[in-house]
Amino acid sequence: MNASPVIAVTGLHRGENPQPGSAVIRSLRRVYPELRIIGLVYDSLESGLFSDEDAPDAAFTMSYPGAGVEAFWQRLDDIREVERFDVLIPCLDAEMAPLVDAPEKLRERGIRACLPTGASFKCRDKSKLAGLCERTHCRTPQTVAVTDVSALHQAAASLGGNVFVKGRFYEARHAVTPAAREAAYWHMMEQWGAPVLVQENVQGEEYNVIGLGDGSGRMLGSCSIRKMLRTASGKGFGGMVVRDPQLDAIAQSLIAELRWNGPFELEFVKEEGPKGEYCLIEINPRFPAWCDFPSTLNCNLPAAALELALGWQPREPLRHACPGKFFIRHAIDMTGDIRDLAALTTSGQFFRQPREVIPHPATSRNF
Amino acid sequence: MKLAPLSALSRPGSQHQLPEPSPFRVPAAAPSAAEDTFEFLTVTWQADGFGFDATSGEFFTASPTALVVMQALSLGMTRLQILDRLTTRFEVRRSTAERDLESFLAELAHLGLTRESN
């Protein structure tokens, strides 16, 4: 291992559907400003590469998941010939399966990671939530996994017609008519492969819980929010910290049952009405894009995950974020340079250089 | 002071989609001191009529008269005592206040902001 660990982070694009990598980098640098961080990217236009505040020190292109598992490991080896990173923080769902299925491949390379076991990873799969929720007495919408159009319509009819059609890893579309269901089905199939999930539509307010499990059933820290703003595709664009003992208890019981190791995000809908129950929609096996928000409130989960992966003593207990604090996402434009783009596109690697300062004419004007 | 409509309890904190502009404006003034707040069930109300529920993350605004009623409820007052308080503090006929109070209590119940005993 390097004297000062080098960290690799994926998922650096913060577009309409923001990925978590840049937020993870920002949180790590809040505690470890000198940490060397490299980005593993799938596209030379991943926006986090060009940020002034949370860009990695270097970046390398990865092989697409479609290229297969062998290509994935081969590319990691090639990258480590150039930049021998010690810790990997995967931030995309599609990357998780090859890592979780082969922890020995990480171990034999000396790469540390904070990952769930294969068993707990599979137990939180969208198609297995019903069983998990039955064991933990948590309500979840009825969900049916389908692999053909006929089964899609049958499932939708059995769920009342008003359903969500969801991709295996990402995306959900609200579909009421058969035509809308079919369009959503083919879209999910093309994007994420089989199976496609058909889920009962539960109406209510959305709540998310981010946290870090220690692998023995305990949560090292967590933060719960109510989504205040959503994009057209349902992504949270603003959230308010809440503190509901009932929600905390449900989260604790799910993580205890899974013996979850590493970061997670639980997504709930609280049914409408005073007696509405929390209904578990899905469990994401990684940090969400809003993971830097709790870090501003002394609940730095990415830094704690790094310490857990390295076997370091935590700096201090993670605090509960204070209810009433909220985040609003703010999209800004960043300036890139064609040379950076060229380096990444042609050689598959890019090393961050000091930014060229272009003085603004107004700075020399006296009033 | 005239009685403002009790039904002026609104719930601006519900989820909504972008790109609709945010319908709420948080007052620019600094938060009220602790003594200017009171707890009514899970909601903390400020004297300026802004309420925040820390368990649900929802927030509300209320008219001055609605605040008086909720503060009275938080102190365990009966309906008759609340009516006395309303008619003392505001220029309103008792029958009007009584009708509005019933309607407001029903609204609170609908929002899950009252105990059944109230």
Side-chain angles (χ1 to χ4, degrees):
Chain A
M1 193 167 100
N2 292 294
S4 174
V6 177
I7 317 302
V9 178
T10 67
L12 301 188
H13 190 54
R14 288 187 74 83
E16 191 187 356
N17 183 3
Q19 297 171 351
S22 297
V24 168
I25 292 175
R26 188 178 282 229
S27 284
L28 294 177
R29 290 225 168 102
R30 288 183 191 282
V31 179
Y32 302 107
E34 303 303 322
L35 201 62
R36 182 160 179 83
I37 301 175
I38 66 164
L40 306 182
V41 300
Y42 295 88
D43 192 301
S44 52
L45 282 177
E46 289 198 18
S47 62
L49 294 172
F50 306 99
S51 161
D52 281 331
E53 294 179 347
D54 44 31
D57 298 297
F60 300 85
T61 51
M62 285 292 290
S63 60
Y64 280 102
V69 175
E70 282 313 309
F72 174 84
W73 290 108
Q74 183 58 53
R75 183 59 186 145
L76 277 192
D77 289 339
D78 293 345
I79 292 168
R80 292 188 86 234
E81 291 288 315
V82 183
E83 188 87 49
R84 198 170 181 78
F85 63 85
D86 306 289
V87 178
L88 174 61
I89 305 181
C91 290
L92 301 174
D93 288 359
E95 298 165 338
M96 296 297 291
L99 296 171
V100 166
D101 286 344
E104 71 286 353
K105 290 195 174 182
L106 286 171
R107 272 197 301 272
E108 68 200 25
R109 288 167 170 80
I111 301 173
R112 315 275 185 100
C114 197
L115 295 171
T117 62
S120 53
F121 180 75
K122 287 182 181 72
C123 266
R124 45 74 31 208
D125 190 88
K126 288 177 185 176
S127 59
K128 304 272 172 55
L129 273 191
L132 172 67
C133 288
E134 199 178 334
R135 296 196 296 280
T136 52
H137 309 291
C138 170
R139 174 152 153 58
T140 190
Q142 288 184 63
T143 305
V144 182
V146 298
T147 52
D148 63 68
V149 173
S150 162
L152 164 78
H153 292 310
Q154 271 181 15
S158 71
L159 298 173
N162 181 355
V163 295
F164 277 97
V165 179
K166 304 178 84 168
R168 189 176 158 207
F169 294 122
Y170 295 104
E171 284 196 82
R173 285 191 183 174
H174 184 211
V176 179
T177 64
R181 284 199 291 271
E182 244 177 80
Y185 171 84
W186 288 117
H187 172 79
M188 299 304 170
M189 204 61 148
E190 186 184 336
Q191 289 290 314
W192 309 112
V196 169
L197 291 312
V198 187
Q199 191 169 76
E200 170 195 4
N201 181 13
V202 177
Q203 293 187 333
E205 299 276 331
E206 290 183 37
Y207 291 81
N208 291 355
V209 181
I210 181 180
L212 183 65
D214 72 351
S216 73
R218 282 193 318 139
M219 286 201 295
L220 296 174
S222 70
C223 175
S224 308
I225 59 160
R226 181 177 68 84
K227 277 191 192 175
M228 294 162 66
L229 290 169
R230 282 182 298 184
T231 64
S233 58
K235 298 291 164 190
F237 222 72
M240 171 80 75
V241 174
V242 298
R243 189 79 199 276
D244 184 348
Q246 190 192 355
L247 183 58
D248 290 346
I250 294 170
Q252 178 60 67
S253 118
L254 289 164
I255 295 312
E257 172 68 19
L258 290 168
R259 294 185 171 271
W260 190 262
N261 189 52
F264 63 84
E265 182 194 33
L266 312 175
E267 295 188 9
F268 295 91
V269 169
K270 190 175 188 188
E271 293 165 295
E272 287 170 349
K275 292 181 180 167
E277 283 183 81
Y278 287 105
C279 199
L280 180 68
I281 303 298
E282 63 185 65
I283 300 179
N284 292 316
R286 47 151 178 88
F287 285 119
W290 56 278
C291 66
D292 185 52
F293 163 60
S295 303
T296 66
L297 305 172
N298 289 318
C299 182
N300 194 325
L301 294 160
L306 174 67
E307 290 152 3
L308 189 62
L310 288 166
W312 292 355
Q313 281 295 316
R315 288 158 297 110
E316 55 186 27
L318 294 161
R319 296 189 192 167
H320 276 288
C322 181
K325 297 290 184 190
F326 66 90
F327 77 89
I328 295 284
R329 201 158 279 158
H330 179 64
I332 58 167
D333 302 333
M334 289 173 307
T335 305
D337 190 293
I338 193 69
R339 284 170 296 185
D340 299 337
L341 202 55
L344 203 55
T345 308
T346 56
S347 67
Q349 56 191 45
F350 148 79
F351 294 88
R352 190 170 163 80
Q353 303 296 323
R355 288 274 160 163
E356 178 189 8
V357 179
I358 303 173
H360 194 284
T363 54
S364 58
R365 185 174 293 157
N366 293 319
F367 292 100
Chain B
M1 186 177 179
K2 286 202 179 296
L3 183 69
L6 276 173
S7 59
L9 182 68
S10 63
R11 190 183 207 175
S14 296
Q15 287 167 358
H16 55 277
Q17 279 196 347
L18 289 176
E20 288 175 19
S22 172
F24 65 90
R25 292 286 178 272
V26 175
S32 306
E35 58 265 30
D36 291 337
T37 67
F38 67 92
E39 306 281 333
F40 177 54
L41 297 180
T42 54
V43 181
T44 303
W45 289 97
Q46 295 178 182
D48 58 7
F50 187 88
F52 175 61
D53 184 335
T55 59
S56 72
E58 291 176 289
F59 42 91
F60 309 85
T61 55
S63 67
T65 38
L67 274 185
V68 167
V69 174
M70 289 188 289
Q71 189 157 31
L73 287 169
S74 74
L75 296 170
M77 288 186 173
T78 63
R79 286 179 194 214
L80 285 178
Q81 288 170 318
I82 296 170
L83 275 175
D84 288 343
R85 181 173 275 200
L86 285 172
T87 49
T88 307
R89 291 200 187 176
F90 303 103
E91 291 172 30
V92 60
R93 283 195 308 192
R94 194 170 179 89
S95 60
T96 306
E98 193 168 5
R99 188 194 61 210
D100 285 359
L101 178 61
E102 288 305 321
S103 151
F104 180 63
L105 291 176
E107 192 180 346
L108 283 179
H110 176 70
L111 290 169
L113 291 177
T114 186
R115 296 186 190 94
E116 284 178 10
S117 59
N118 285 325

